[in-house]
Amino acid sequence: MRIQDLEVYRAIRSEEDREKNNLLMIASENYASRAVMETQASVLTNKYAEGYPGARYYGGCEYVDEVELLAIDRAKKLFGAEYINVQPHSGSQANMTVFFSFLEHGDLILGMGLQQGGHLTHGSKVSFSGKFFRAISYNLSSKTHRIDYNQVRDLAKKHKPRLIIAGASAYPRIIDFHRFKEIANETGAYLMADIAHIAGLVAVGLHPTPVGEADFITSTTHKTLRGPRGGLILSEKKYGAKLNKGLFPGIQGGPLMHIIASKAVAFGEALKPEFVDYQKQIIVNAKVLAEELTAYGFDLVTGGTDNHMILLDLTKKGITGQDAEKILEKAGIVLNKNSIPFDKKGPMVTSGLRLGTPALTTRGMKENEMKVIAGLIKKVLESPGSQTIINEVSKIVSDLCHSFPIYKYLD
Ligand code: DSN
């Protein structure tokens, strides 16, 4: 990068060092490839292209049309969907597009509660989804902490929502989209599947796909899918015209063509056989981490994981999620505090931690490293006040990061 703005340059270099020298275990983060990042830094950032390929409100769109069509074609191949929209700036905008296209102000929606693992845009009072729409939420089973499909069905039958949302930001188990579709059919609701977290797993068949089940599927492109920060909508052809209009001019203006190009590059990467191996390893790593942490006496929400994430219940360990996050970060292990189902503590404190394996797996880490990392987490959390332990663990983290450089993957 050119050193034209020293302050910004320094911040970027520091972030690069942070990403290189820490174990990034935030379940929603990943390392995009250099090709993905370089495409974002291209001249395409200069171009206005309101509209869709072949029907723009600006001249000079021939090359951005090519790029958007490539992104759409590749996403269609990847997910097997009839309709794709690659223009949402984010997952929230993808969700907002569906709401704006198919709901009226004040319509009823039913999604997983935020504290139970749902996303802000699934009906939380602090987001547009809970302010402009009437929102009710389903809880997880108080016994298993898994989705209680009977409860979802009962709520849907009683309240008759216009839209049911399947999907979560903190749920370590398989989501049964078919069950959700049965409930939506029975109660006359649309079904939206938000696959932001699991998109990479869905793309390679390691999580059942909602394509063919949900009316609308929304996602981000930067989590397990490992593309640029952005959003995506999948649907059936019959909903395409409404979704297109709902997105532009409904809720967005000019699409970010440099990001759309970068999505095309990421989808191209995801179509390669290596991507299947990568996704498989994400799950293997999460399972090994889960087993090791369980063996060390940690309680895992639902007792384990089927996907890329683990939710630790720290209640019995006598430490809050907030404190655990801070102490682990001091030792170079970066993850986030997270509410656990029926958490007695508020969202800024929490009783849980969310751990993910997508970024570590991108660095090439495998089962052995997961075993080491589980041991490090145990060590830090068992002696939260000990600087000696933090120093000791930091040294091992640093050695691990050195042995698995991100630039080996990025270059
Ligand atoms: N904020 C994201 C996450 O961390 O899960 C969801 O959008």
Side-chain angles (χ1 to χ4, degrees):
M1 181 193 170
R2 285 180 202 279
I3 311 177
Q4 184 184 317
D5 184 324
L6 197 55
E7 285 159 300
V8 173
Y9 176 83
R10 279 196 188 127
I12 293 173
R13 283 289 163 260
S14 300
E15 172 61 14
E16 195 175 305
D17 286 345
R18 190 192 70 81
E19 291 185 17
K20 271 187 196 167
N21 300 323
N22 288 280
L23 296 174
L24 302 193
M25 298 186 70
I26 292 180
S28 48
E29 291 183 353
N30 211 331
Y31 296 107
S33 71
R34 193 174 286 290
V36 163
M37 292 196 292
E38 278 177 359
T39 309
Q40 290 181 80
S42 70
V43 292
L44 297 176
T45 191
N46 299 329
K47 188 71 195 98
Y48 249 120
E50 283 173 6
Y52 290 93
R56 305 280 191 187
Y57 290 87
Y58 291 84
C61 285
E62 58 268 46
Y63 304 115
V64 292
D65 274 7
E66 263 177 43
V67 152
E68 186 162 346
L69 289 172
L70 277 170
I72 291 169
D73 283 353
R74 289 177 187 176
K76 276 186 181 166
K77 270 195 203 117
L78 196 56
F79 291 101
E82 287 178 359
Y83 163 87
I84 298 285
N85 194 315
V86 290
Q87 292 196 7
H89 299 329
S90 68
S92 290
Q93 302 272 246
N95 290 349
M96 193 189 264
T97 299
V98 170
F99 289 30
F100 192 77
S101 308
F102 288 92
L103 305 183
E104 295 299 329
H105 188 263
D107 272 353
L108 192 74
I109 60 171
L110 172 63
M112 187 189 287
L114 183 66
Q115 192 237 30
Q116 305 275 305
H119 188 250
L120 282 165
T121 56
H122 297 177
S124 163
K125 285 277 166 264
V126 296
S127 107
F128 69 88
S129 60
K131 273 195 196 295
F132 300 152
F133 304 94
R134 285 180 303 132
I136 50 171
S137 42
Y138 49 90
N139 284 336
L140 300 172
S141 151
S142 56
K143 278 205 189 97
T144 63
H145 293 164
R146 294 181 185 230
I147 295 171
D148 176 351
Y149 295 92
N150 291 329
Q151 186 201 135
V152 177
R153 183 167 175 265
D154 290 346
L155 284 169
K157 281 180 83 169
K158 184 169 172 203
H159 298 283
K160 295 269 184 269
R162 187 103 179 98
L163 179 78
I164 298 175
I165 303 167
S169 285
Y171 186 68
R173 294 298 184 177
I174 298 279
I175 296 173
D176 189 340
F177 295 118
H178 185 68
R179 287 287 295 281
F180 269 106
K181 184 56 179 167
E182 283 175 349
I183 296 167
N185 281 346
E186 194 183 339
T187 57
Y190 287 120
L191 177 64
M192 180 178 103
D194 181 341
I195 60 164
H197 265 267
I198 53 172
L201 305 175
V202 168
V204 303
L206 291 173
H207 186 292
T209 181
V211 174
E213 305 283 0
D215 299 288
F216 319 112
I217 299 158
T218 57
S219 185
T220 53
T221 47
H222 49 272
K223 297 187 174 96
T224 47
L225 199 49
R226 206 166 62 182
R229 190 156 293 275
L232 178 70
I233 304 171
L234 287 60
S235 189
E236 294 170 48
K237 250 193 212 138
K238 65 178 181 192
Y239 296 130
K242 263 192 150 177
L243 287 166
N244 275 357
K245 231 173 128 191
L247 186 137
F248 171 81
I251 65 144
Q252 281 187 188
L256 308 176
M257 296 316 302
H258 55 309
I259 302 297
I260 289 173
S262 180
K263 287 174 187 172
V265 172
F267 299 153
E269 290 175 358
L271 283 164
K272 292 187 180 152
E274 305 90 272
F275 194 71
V276 180
D277 299 334
Y278 166 60
Q279 298 295 328
K280 281 184 184 158
Q281 192 66 45
I282 286 179
I283 294 182
V284 170
N285 283 353
K287 283 198 191 303
V288 171
L289 199 57
E291 281 160 16
E292 295 290 310
L293 289 167
T294 305
Y296 285 132
F298 284 96
D299 285 334
L300 274 60
V301 172
T302 76
T305 179
D306 297 326
N307 58 25
H308 62 297
M309 77 162 73
I310 293 164
L311 268 181
L312 283 188
D313 175 350
L314 298 172
T315 312
K316 283 196 208 137
K317 293 280 177 191
I319 184 168
T320 65
Q322 186 180 39
D323 288 342
E325 176 194 295
K326 272 194 204 135
I327 296 157
L328 284 165
E329 186 161 358
K330 279 190 193 152
I333 300 173
V334 184
L335 35 68
N336 65 285
K337 62 178 178 251
N338 213 98
S339 295
I340 53 169
F342 310 99
D343 206 326
K344 294 198 176 69
K345 296 192 167 67
M348 285 308 285
V349 181
T350 82
S351 306
L353 281 179
R354 188 181 67 163
L355 296 75
T357 54
L360 298 184
T361 310
T362 291
R363 294 182 88 135
M365 292 186 185
K366 293 202 163 82
E367 292 91 317
N368 281 343
E369 289 71 43
M370 296 306 117
K371 289 181 187 167
V372 173
I373 291 167
L376 299 180
I377 291 171
K378 169 196 171 263
K379 223 174 191 175
V380 172
L381 294 184
E382 273 184 3
S383 315
S386 167
Q387 190 58 44
T388 315
I389 295 285
I390 287 180
N391 294 345
E392 204 180 291
V393 170
S394 299
K395 169 80 180 68
I396 301 169
V397 166
S398 169
D399 290 347
L400 264 175
C401 290
H402 197 72
S403 306
F404 293 88
I406 56 174
Y407 289 104
K408 190 173 157 208
Y409 161 70
L410 286 172
D411 283 336

